[in-house]
Amino acid sequence: MRDWRIETRCLQEGWKPKSGEPRVLPIYQSTTYKYDSTEDVAKLFDLSAPGHMYSRISNPTVECLENKLASLEGGTGALCAASGQTATLITVLNLCRTGDHIVSASAIYGGTFNLLHHTLERLGISTSFIDADASEDEIQKAFRPNTRALFGETLANPKLSVLDIEKFARIARANNVPFVIDNTFATPILCRPLEYGADIIVHSATKYLDGHATSVSGVIIESGKFDWSNGNFPAFTAPDESYHGVVYTRDFPRTPFTTKARVQLMRDLGANMTAQTAFLVNLGVETLHLRMERHSANARQAAEYLAKHPKVLSVAYPGLPADKYYALAQKYLPLGASGIISFVIKGGREAAVRFMDSLRLAAIVVHVADARTSVLHPASSTHRQMNDAQLAQAGIEPGMIRLSIGLENIGDIIEDIQAALG
Ligand SMILES: *Cc1c(COP(=O)(O)O)cnc(C)c1O
């Protein structure tokens, strides 16, 4: 059977009820599973039979969401996690051990910067941050013999730069390391990085996948195409003694990355997604295609309005023809540039705070990608741990405001912005 189109898969993938079963994905609120024999459960512990043993490792509701998200991204497998941060942490720990090194774009989410630069650094996994717009030769200089991953964001939070995904994929391939990409802001509706050569995708499902600000959640998706036998990743090709000698590339050829992450790291760290959360994220994903279309259309109109306003110094929205990243957006985000705009208000930090406090519809929240319009001042919230030099490197100015344009009537959204700009 031919694959359904992506809009259909948003609704129909994952839960596929048999005759007489519930129409809607059930919440399997159970930590545990029942077996007919000790032999049945022994096979699960040897990873020689598929099935669920304990909800820290897998759960039927969560599995349906994993299958749906893998399908939407065009991957072979997925692993859901308690948050986007956990998805990135588990991805790094699945690739690196103490002494290893990562190369990352510098314009990334503040929480990911903290994870890489502070917490993982303390565990002995170091990161070199590079300008994603630099040439391949320049970026190549950051690689070392112990580099085990290249990391970037499709549409960076909050800089809104568009990553040249094919360039990053070439650099990763030349260095025999996987290219890990955070696709949170684009979602698989607007961009599917695996089609351009990325190897592993992480998402904060908290954002557009959920879409209604109900659930902190994350997911890892693998392409199934990376060559783990290139010598850099013996943990994928050598027997795992904690599972009677399982070899991930041999025994799970389609899903070596997410299987190893699940049965080693999710087993040991316990940062699993709950069935309740999977139910809510799945419900969100059912309308993802419609929402991303409207978020993008509304944001484009709001960005056009801001770009013409005399009190606005600059607008970053890659869907605007004047934007530095317009050409890359045309290539990688042809259906729309998502719902997030950042702009710099004249008058710096003080004017930014005055604007924020004057909005009536847009709400001040530490969140983006909600169905409701929201607004945030990165320099005093998500990125406040950065010093001025690090802020500049991440592309953030003190007067920068990040607007997450919702699904309300665009006339009301623009009137709110107009009134607050005064
Ligand atoms: C929010 C966010 C994260 C972190 O996700 P949580 O679900 O909040 O842990 C990671 N990357 C990006 C791009 C984000 O916007």
Side-chain angles (χ1 to χ4, degrees), residues 82-88 108-112 151 153 155-157 182-185 202-207 215-218 367-368 402:
S83 67
Q85 287 298 98
T86 307
T88 304
I108 54 172
Y109 173 65
T112 308
F151 184 86
E153 292 179 4
L155 187 53
N157 177 6
D182 181 330
N183 198 34
T184 298
F185 273 17
V202 292
H203 276 278
S204 168
T206 317
K207 312 295 165 53
S215 307
V216 173
S217 50
H367 189 57
V368 289
R402 189 182 63 185

Side-chain angles (χ1 to χ4, degrees), residues 222-402:
E222 72 178 305
S223 70
K225 292 183 186 151
F226 187 77
D227 177 15
W228 300 105
S229 67
N230 64 23
N232 279 340
F233 300 95
F236 288 86
T237 54
D240 179 351
E241 293 316 325
S242 71
Y243 285 106
H244 296 265
V246 156
V247 174
Y248 294 103
T249 47
R250 181 194 67 201
D251 299 330
F252 300 93
R254 277 173 54 79
T255 58
F257 187 81
T258 48
T259 301
K260 177 175 170 295
R262 181 190 302 282
V263 302
Q264 290 180 341
L265 293 164
M266 204 53 94
R267 176 195 63 184
D268 296 353
L269 302 179
N272 58 289
M273 180 185 280
T274 68
Q276 296 267 354
T277 292
F279 175 86
L280 289 165
V281 174
N282 180 68
L283 200 57
V285 173
E286 290 188 356
T287 56
L288 183 65
H289 52 300
L290 289 176
R291 290 187 288 107
M292 293 319 293
E293 196 179 305
R294 182 62 66 88
H295 277 298
S296 299
N298 276 359
R300 184 175 167 139
Q301 286 190 65
E304 281 167 357
Y305 173 81
L306 285 165
K308 290 193 200 109
H309 201 285
K311 291 193 179 161
V312 172
L313 209 56
S314 63
V315 178
Y317 184 68
L320 287 182
D323 193 86
K324 183 178 173 194
Y325 296 97
Y326 184 68
L328 283 171
Q330 290 294 101
K331 176 170 179 181
Y332 294 113
L333 303 162
L335 300 179
S338 194
I340 296 137
I341 302 170
S342 68
F343 70 98
V344 181
I345 195 165
K346 284 185 187 162
R349 189 180 290 260
E350 262 173 48
V353 170
R354 211 176 316 117
F355 170 80
M356 303 263 304
D357 292 342
S358 307
L359 291 163
R360 296 181 58 201
L361 186 147
I364 299 175
V365 297
V366 184
H367 189 57
V368 289
D370 187 8
R372 290 146 290 209
T373 296
S374 45
V375 65
L376 184 123
H377 182 220
S380 60
S381 55
T382 49
H383 289 66
R384 69 181 293 127
Q385 75 288 347
M386 290 188 174
N387 61 36
D388 280 359
Q390 286 169 334
L391 275 180
Q393 217 195 8
I396 296 158
E397 293 182 48
M400 182 202 264
I401 291 160
R402 189 182 63 185

Side-chain angles (χ1 to χ4, degrees), residues 48-59:
S48 61
H52 304 285
M53 61 171 116
Y54 191 56
S55 288
R56 175 165 12 94
I57 297 165
S58 66
N59 167 281

Side-chain angles (χ1 to χ4, degrees), residues 6 9 62-81 83-84 86-92 94-95 150-152 154 178-189 191-195 197-206 209 217-226 228 236 254-262 266 273 281 285 288:
I6 194 161
R9 284 182 277 137
V62 179
E63 183 181 39
C64 284
L65 176 63
E66 288 168 342
N67 291 340
K68 177 182 281 191
L69 295 175
S71 164
L72 296 182
E73 286 285 14
T76 53
L79 172 63
C80 284
S83 67
T86 307
T88 304
L89 172 65
I90 287 183
T91 296
V92 171
N94 209 28
L95 295 169
L150 176 62
F151 184 86
T154 310
F179 168 26
V180 180
I181 187 163
D182 181 330
N183 198 34
T184 298
F185 273 17
T187 83
I189 299 301
C191 181
R192 288 176 295 283
L194 301 184
E195 293 174 2
D199 300 295
I200 296 157
I201 291 180
V202 292
H203 276 278
S204 168
T206 317
L209 298 184
S217 50
V219 64
I220 305 166
I221 295 149
E222 72 178 305
S223 70
K225 292 183 186 151
F226 187 77
W228 300 105
F236 288 86
R254 277 173 54 79
T255 58
F257 187 81
T258 48
T259 301
K260 177 175 170 295
R262 181 190 302 282
M266 204 53 94
M273 180 185 280
V281 174
V285 173
L288 183 65

